[in-house]
Amino acid sequence: MPSTESFMRLALDLARRGEGRTRPNPAVGALIVRDGQVVGEGFHPQAGQPHAEIFALRQAGDLARGADLYVTLEPCSHHGRTGPCAAAVIAGGLARVFVGTRDPNPLVSGRGIEMLRSAGIEVTTGILESECRRLIAPFAKHVTSGRPYLILKSAMTLDGNTATRSGDSQWISNEQSRLFVHRLRDRVDAIMVGIGTVLRDDPRLTTRLPEGGRDPLRVVVDGRLRIPEDAAMLRLESAAATLIATTAEAPAEKVARLRAGGADVLVVPGKDGRVGLAELMRELGARGIQSLLLEGGATLNAAALEAGLVDRVMLFVAPKLLGGFGGKGIFAGAGVERLAEARLLEDLRVTRFGDDILVEGEVRPCSPG
């Protein structure tokens, strides 16, 4: 008979089908199992639609009574656009519930589990918890801090360069890695670059997949509004908007022209012509952005890391050597003086994409003081 963990993995696979489509809600998957057989399944497709547990209950029907529920996230206990899932689970007559992780939302935070237990349902928590927590990391960051979950993505050669001395960087990573990045773009709410990247590469920042995909909001950090008015991202036929974050030093006439052309120009507090990134994160969070993919250059990467805004790093390493000291690195600036000051990564994962290696992990929060 399949194990508890194997059923939760199936629920995680279901949940991923809604990843990137559910904000302001998290992606959740659910299975109802009776006598070792799946009799109902579901995932949350988008806000306003039923939650995963409801789809599973509908599919299982009367077979839910006395059965087990596997759900990646604690069933909700409050009324939002839909009713509380914990109440629906109780009404469905489930005997046992296996939960991947508790809901970080202060409106729930254990209350759903207590509702189930108070109704006599046996509840087991923490099944594949790290995987379940990783899935909802953007939701957890946003619901507890009001800011987006920031993923810093970069590609480098084996000797630590992101470009040659002339700035040539296309392509360090291979085609398989680049396809994966486009799948990542399809799942995030926004993608962010600095003005240096725009001036150098004129990127579109779109999702390009064989089966199609969804473009994320494009965010450009441009403190003095140097973006060309004919930039490729400003001339796209895309459902996603382009937001240019600038400062009070931006020419008012250019702000007006860009806005008239359809761009969303956001004036953010800053200093010396540099956008205040913490203030920008708060503004993006207020607009409902939960996940933000940073594909910036060394200057923006360093500023985000220094400000403590980077939550996850995804680094593609290609088996190439540029040699010498003239190449470009992931971060600009002097960096830390002592190894003890280095930012540590945890929840590490390593994935092969052909000859490329993806190393990713959570940035451990700095200790107070």
Side-chain angles (χ1 to χ4, degrees):
M1 181 178 292
S3 67
T4 298
E5 289 192 354
S6 66
F7 283 128
M8 188 60 75
R9 290 194 192 283
L10 291 174
L12 277 165
D13 289 341
L14 285 166
R16 293 186 184 104
R17 293 169 62 180
E19 193 173 7
R21 305 296 195 273
T22 61
R23 69 180 173 109
N25 300 330
V28 181
L31 288 177
I32 295 177
V33 177
R34 187 183 186 94
D35 298 326
Q37 299 295 317
V38 176
V39 295
E41 63 180 40
F43 69 96
H44 182 44
Q46 65 182 49
Q49 292 292 314
H51 291 183
E53 301 94 319
I54 305 305
F55 282 113
L57 283 164
R58 288 177 179 174
Q59 190 176 102
D62 290 340
L63 293 176
R65 295 201 168 274
D68 297 336
L69 170 68
Y70 291 82
V71 61
T72 57
L73 183 67
E74 171 185 4
C76 63
S77 58
H78 65 289
H79 286 270
R81 296 189 188 181
T82 60
C85 290
V89 171
I90 294 168
L94 276 297
R96 298 187 300 178
V97 175
F98 297 88
V99 175
T101 186
R102 288 174 178 258
D103 195 330
N105 186 346
L107 293 175
V108 182
S109 191
R111 294 181 179 86
I113 292 171
E114 290 306 314
M115 280 183 64
L116 298 176
R117 286 175 173 160
S118 296
I121 296 175
E122 179 184 335
V123 181
T124 303
T125 62
I127 311 299
L128 297 183
E129 184 166 15
S130 61
E131 290 92 334
C132 293
R133 289 176 62 86
R134 189 185 302 136
L135 176 69
I136 64 161
F139 168 76
K141 176 69 179 290
H142 188 263
V143 81
T144 57
S145 72
R147 297 192 314 235
Y149 181 83
L150 193 152
I151 306 163
L152 189 156
K153 188 277 298 179
S154 188
M156 72 174 191
T157 61
L158 198 57
D159 53 352
N161 292 299
T162 61
T164 67
R165 62 183 179 180
S166 67
D168 182 20
S169 62
Q170 297 184 350
W171 297 98
I172 285 179
S173 57
N174 64 27
E175 187 174 347
Q176 291 169 266
S177 297
R178 297 197 298 274
L179 178 62
F180 177 82
V181 170
H182 281 281
R183 297 200 187 284
L184 180 59
R185 288 183 179 184
D186 180 60
R187 298 195 305 267
V188 298
D189 298 329
I191 180 171
M192 184 169 76
V193 297
I195 184 58
T197 297
V198 175
L199 295 176
R200 182 181 64 250
D201 299 334
D202 194 23
R204 289 176 288 171
L205 303 183
T206 54
T207 297
R208 299 184 292 280
L209 292 170
E211 67 274 19
R214 178 184 57 84
D215 290 341
L217 170 73
R218 296 171 289 275
V219 180
V220 179
V221 180
D222 183 6
R224 292 190 168 93
L225 209 57
R226 294 186 291 153
I227 187 170
E229 295 179 47
D230 64 347
M233 69 176 66
L234 299 178
R235 297 180 286 109
L236 293 171
E237 291 185 8
S238 171
T242 297
L243 184 151
I244 306 169
T246 190
T247 66
E249 295 188 25
E253 313 82 42
K254 189 171 183 179
V255 171
R257 290 197 303 272
L258 288 168
R259 285 174 173 166
D264 183 359
V265 182
L266 175 66
V267 179
V268 179
K271 184 179 181 181
D272 299 327
R274 294 181 179 274
V275 172
L277 293 182
E279 290 80 1
L280 175 57
M281 293 304 105
R282 283 192 285 270
E283 178 62 33
L284 292 175
R287 295 181 177 212
I289 300 300
Q290 290 187 354
S291 53
L292 175 64
L293 180 63
L294 173 57
E295 293 193 16
T299 300
L300 184 57
N301 288 346
L305 187 69
E306 176 67 22
L309 300 174
V310 179
D311 296 295
R312 175 167 283 270
V313 172
M314 301 183 72
L315 179 60
F316 291 87
V317 183
K320 300 174 182 178
L321 300 172
L322 299 188
F325 296 97
K328 312 294 183 182
I330 298 173
F331 300 105
V336 301
E337 291 187 6
R338 299 180 297 118
L339 277 175
E341 299 171 340
R343 304 301 297 275
L344 300 179
L345 299 183
E346 51 194 16
D347 188 26
L348 288 173
R349 289 188 295 167
V350 178
T351 309
R352 288 284 298 270
F353 292 95
D355 291 335
D356 287 356
I357 297 173
L358 169 62
V359 181
E360 60 180 311
E362 294 273 341
V363 179
R364 182 181 297 178
C366 290
S367 300

